[in-house]
Amino acid sequence: MRYELYYWPTIQGRGEFVRLALEEAGADYVDVARRGARGMAALNRLLESGKTRSFAPPFLKTGNQIIGQTANILLYLGPRLGLAPKSESSRLWAHQLQLTISDLVDEVHDVHHPIASSLYYHQQNPDAARRAPHFTRDRLTKYLNYFESILAANSRGSRYVLGRNPSYLDLSLFQVMAGLRYAFPRTMKKRAADYPALTALAERVSGRPNIASYLASSRRVPFSEYGIFRHYPELDR
Ligand SMILES: N[C@@H](CCC(=O)N[C@@H](CS)C(=O)NCC(=O)O)C(=O)O
């Protein structure tokens, strides 16, 4: 089964959470829009056709089915890629955590786009500058404390969020930590000591062979000021 991932080709964005799962599992997939102009045309065609029934990318095509919403895609892929727990209750718990990551991602986006996604950053940077300290001081702290406490509550020998085995959640938390470090390096450096378990988890994930080779490859789109995690020094004071 070859999976087709449809996502914007020039950013990591929300698609990256799906890419990481596919890469970790060594899945047979094609990142359609990254295949040049034809791929991008295929993404636009599919979006405009209404066949996706998705509000926005990312979406995943598998056989005749098209699945949207990042957390929903991971809910589907998790068991198929060996990146989800077995029991229903654990799967729901994983999904709950992934949805919380989605909430955090939305808030990260809204730091640089507090007024409208349709406006450029420079059209709303005074509002962004007003919002940023609330994010770095309050919300980032609350989210990271939450995930740190989940890891800290794990039994000894649990190297991953859900225990001994890695899941898509670990990959997503790695991405969150990488993104926050890129976007808010000053804040993250200052707080590094507060998140030992998250820091260790992110390091463990980045050292997993398939992830390490993905990160070193040209398939990994670099962070930039076009994606969700953007570095504007004025928002990281
Ligand atoms: N909650 C959705 C959000 C999807 C989303 O906002 N996608 C962005 C790119 S990361 C997009 O293309 N949005 C277009 C729009 O909102 O009009 C998810 O997690 O997949």
Side-chain angles (χ1 to χ4, degrees):
M1 166 74 66
R2 170 172 272 206
Y3 296 110
E4 290 179 17
L5 170 65
Y6 288 82
Y7 192 66
W8 308 119
T10 53
I11 60 170
Q12 293 182 13
R14 291 176 174 87
E16 197 63 15
F17 296 95
V18 182
R19 290 186 183 121
L20 283 166
L22 293 163
E23 290 284 344
E24 164 63 20
D28 182 13
Y29 82 102
V30 48
D31 199 340
V32 178
R34 296 209 71 209
R35 293 200 147 180
R38 279 190 178 185
M40 192 58 207
L43 166 59
N44 282 327
R45 224 175 15 250
L46 201 52
L47 258 182
E48 284 155 19
S49 73
K51 279 188 201 146
T52 68
R53 298 184 301 164
S54 290
F55 179 73
F59 45 85
L60 183 83
K61 189 161 183 284
T62 161
N64 290 328
Q65 193 173 8
I66 299 178
I67 302 161
Q69 288 282 358
T70 310
N72 200 34
I73 298 170
L74 291 171
L75 182 70
Y76 171 85
L77 281 178
R80 288 163 178 83
L81 300 183
L83 290 171
K86 292 221 162 19
S87 73
E88 188 188 27
S89 63
S90 299
R91 280 189 192 169
L92 276 176
W93 170 231
H95 189 48
Q96 177 180 328
L97 288 170
Q98 190 67 41
L99 287 168
T100 309
I101 291 174
S102 295
D103 291 342
L104 165 58
V105 167
D106 284 350
E107 290 197 35
V108 169
H109 170 271
D110 291 351
V111 171
H112 50 77
H113 277 71
I115 301 296
S117 299
S118 51
L119 296 176
Y120 289 108
Y121 170 65
H122 72 260
Q123 295 172 298
Q124 50 194 318
N125 53 2
D127 299 286
R130 224 181 131 199
R131 184 170 177 132
H134 293 284
F135 177 76
T136 51
R137 215 171 38 216
D138 307 333
R139 302 298 289 173
L140 178 147
T141 309
K142 185 168 179 179
Y143 277 109
L144 292 190
N145 282 349
Y146 171 72
F147 289 117
E148 183 73 18
S149 73
I150 303 282
L151 289 169
N154 271 349
S155 56
R156 277 178 92 83
S158 299
R159 290 163 54 80
Y160 296 101
V161 184
L162 301 176
R164 288 176 189 278
N165 301 316
S167 69
Y168 61 78
L169 271 174
D170 302 293
L171 310 174
S172 293
L173 282 175
F174 154 76
Q175 177 65 10
V176 162
M177 291 299 279
L180 289 175
R181 282 189 192 127
Y182 172 79
F184 305 103
R186 199 171 160 270
T187 302
M188 289 300 281
K189 196 170 169 205
K190 228 165 66 187
R191 310 272 175 80
D194 297 339
Y195 308 116
L198 274 171
T199 304
L201 177 73
E203 214 163 287
R204 199 167 295 135
V205 168
S206 67
R208 292 186 62 81
N210 285 359
I211 295 296
S213 74
Y214 169 61
L215 296 178
S217 77
S218 59
R219 296 190 303 288
R220 170 81 163 178
V221 182
F223 283 113
S224 74
E225 281 52 75
Y226 299 99
I228 289 171
F229 294 101
R230 301 186 184 192
H231 178 54
Y232 296 117
E234 62 275 23
L235 304 185
D236 183 33
R237 293 203 200 287

